[in-house]
Amino acid sequence: MPAPVRTTFLFDLDGTLVDSVYQHVLAWKHALDADGIPLSVWRIHRKIGMSGGLFTNILLRETGIDITPERVERLHRLHAQAYAAQATQIRPLPGAVELLAYLSDNGIPWAIATSGRMETARHNLVALGVDPERSVVITRDMVKHAKPDPDLFLAAADQVGADIEHSVVVGDSIWDLLAARRARALGVGLLSGGYGQEELERAGAFRVYEDPADLLKHIDEVAARP
């Protein structure tokens, strides 16, 4: 008999495990305002979850403003500063800590793969109680391309020693689920980042739950028995 295949869970961070999407939106709004770039908050929200470089390039292209490396780097710096100022407001989403503990206690591998740089992701990891020295955490700094490209999830699966085709990607944005499809992983969507169920399903989610607590209640629907 072949050995049973274990499901591996690959998690996005912002809006999936940590309630931080709107802090990112406001931080980007602060950065853009400081650089004299007028942009509605809702337009910023729709881009949260993709790579920071792609995010700034798209936003600047939409506004018709010249894209220069200096401007992009300045916006990233202003965003990181504004996000750090909100660090004390960041909290784990309901059930996130319990979900990770359940997976660990039951020998189910998991990793975190975020489009954020470690500069901002570390605030979320502290809030979540995850030590990147002990758990697999892949950030934008560690791959060539971030979401919606599959690099982050492929790197996370590789670090865990898992087959990406037997992995479940859990994310709150369409960018997570597009990356999951391109990586050939199953995608699970959470509503905790502000996207609707139909949007997540169209992007590739085969299940959609409210938040990590809801996913934990239905974990047997997505995790293969070891």
Side-chain angles (χ1 to χ4, degrees), residues 3-30:
V5 176
R6 294 187 304 173
T7 301
T8 296
F9 282 80
L10 308 177
F11 293 96
D12 171 53
L13 186 57
D14 294 292
T16 298
L17 295 173
V18 180
D19 192 8
S20 56
V21 167
Y22 294 100
Q23 284 86 348
H24 273 296
V25 171
L26 294 175
W28 278 116
K29 177 63 174 170
H30 172 85

Side-chain angles (χ1 to χ4, degrees), residues 101-145:
Y102 173 87
L103 297 177
S104 296
D105 291 345
N106 286 274
I108 301 174
W110 59 269
I112 293 173
T114 174
S115 288
R117 302 178 184 184
M118 183 57 77
E119 183 180 15
T120 53
R122 62 184 175 84
H123 301 295
N124 299 351
L125 296 172
V126 168
L128 194 58
V130 170
D131 182 353
E133 297 295 325
R134 298 189 175 191
S135 301
V136 175
V137 177
I138 305 297
T139 63
R140 178 67 184 89
D141 321 73
M142 302 167 67
V143 296
K144 185 176 182 180
H145 301 292

Side-chain angles (χ1 to χ4, degrees), residues 1 25 51-52 63 71 78 94 98 138 143 145-146 151 171 188 195 216 219:
M1 292 287 292
V25 171
S51 84
T63 58
R71 170 162 264 158
L78 290 168
E98 293 80 2
I138 305 297
V143 296
H145 301 292
D151 302 29
V188 168
Y195 279 90
L216 180 55
I219 196 69

Side-chain angles (χ1 to χ4, degrees), residues 162-175:
D163 185 339
I164 190 64
E165 295 188 11
H166 294 139
S167 299
V168 173
V169 165
V170 182
D172 66 289
S173 76
I174 61 174
W175 316 113

